């Protein structure tokens, strides 16, 4: 992972969202995620200039590409994790992509007994 140039760390700004997952937040903070687009190829290169640091509207292919190229997950594992996230937490419209904040839905992917976050109360929102 590069921390210079177009992938320098930029903290989330007003209106940006993050998830309970530090690894996904790091990808967003360093500009390794991409906005969903029908005209973009299925596999995006992590050095693309179309980075999305907002944490919103992230495509499944962008997440898979980031997890395999930056964190070196296997393609089957990355695909399984992303499919689970989209099936459990997305709005149902694949054209909208997914928001990192959507992954914070209690008892979907976010769970009690996190090593880095307090347990969420039922109905509580991740902040």
């Amino acid at each position: 992972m590069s921390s210079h140039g177009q992938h320098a760390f930029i903290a989330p700004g007003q209106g940006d969202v993050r998830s309970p997952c530090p690894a996904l937040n790091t990808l967003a903070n360093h500009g390794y995620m991409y906005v969903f687009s029908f005209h973009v190829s299925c596999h995006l290169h992590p050095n693309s200039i179309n980075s999305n640091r907002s944490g919103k509207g992230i495509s499944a292919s962008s997440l898979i590409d980031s997890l395999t190229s930056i964190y070196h997950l296997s393609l089957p594992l990355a695909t399984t994790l992303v499919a689970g996230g989209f099936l459990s937490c997305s709005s149902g419209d694949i054209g909208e992509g997914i928001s990192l904040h959507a992954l914070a839905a209690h008892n979907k992917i976010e769970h009690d007994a996190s090593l880095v976050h307090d347990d969420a109360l039922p109905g509580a929102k991740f902040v």
Side-chain angles (χ1 to χ4, degrees), residues 43-63:
H43 296 286
L44 298 171
H45 189 276
N47 292 325
S48 168
I49 59 171
N50 298 321
S51 69
N52 170 15
R53 294 175 188 259
S54 73
K56 301 174 184 174
I58 300 165
S59 69
S61 62
S62 169
L63 281 173

Side-chain angles (χ1 to χ4, degrees), residues 62-78:
S62 169
L63 281 173
I64 292 168
D65 285 345
S66 295
L67 291 171
T68 57
S69 64
I70 304 303
Y71 292 127
H72 304 288
L73 270 62
S74 70
L75 182 59
L77 177 58

Side-chain angles (χ1 to χ4, degrees), residues 9-92:
F9 172 81
I10 297 177
Q14 186 173 358
D16 292 346
V17 296
R18 294 296 181 262
S19 77
C21 177
L24 294 179
N25 295 339
T26 299
L27 291 173
N29 291 340
H30 286 272
Y32 282 100
M33 294 193 185
Y34 308 93
V35 177
F36 183 87
S37 174
F38 283 108
H39 67 276
V40 177
S41 72
C42 227
H43 296 286
L44 298 171
H45 189 276
N47 292 325
S48 168
I49 59 171
N50 298 321
S51 69
N52 170 15
R53 294 175 188 259
S54 73
K56 301 174 184 174
I58 300 165
S59 69
S61 62
S62 169
L63 281 173
I64 292 168
D65 285 345
S66 295
L67 291 171
T68 57
S69 64
I70 304 303
Y71 292 127
H72 304 288
L73 270 62
S74 70
L75 182 59
L77 177 58
T79 302
T80 300
L81 292 172
V82 170
F86 268 76
L87 291 171
S88 298
C89 300
S90 73
S91 67

Side-chain angles (χ1 to χ4, degrees), residues 18-21 24 85 89 98-111 120-121 123-127:
R18 294 296 181 262
S19 77
C21 177
L24 294 179
C89 300
I98 196 166
S99 163
L100 289 180
H101 195 262
L103 299 175
H106 186 59
N107 284 335
K108 299 276 184 167
I109 292 176
E110 180 279 331
H111 53 84
L121 298 173
K125 297 210 179 221
F126 172 77
V127 288

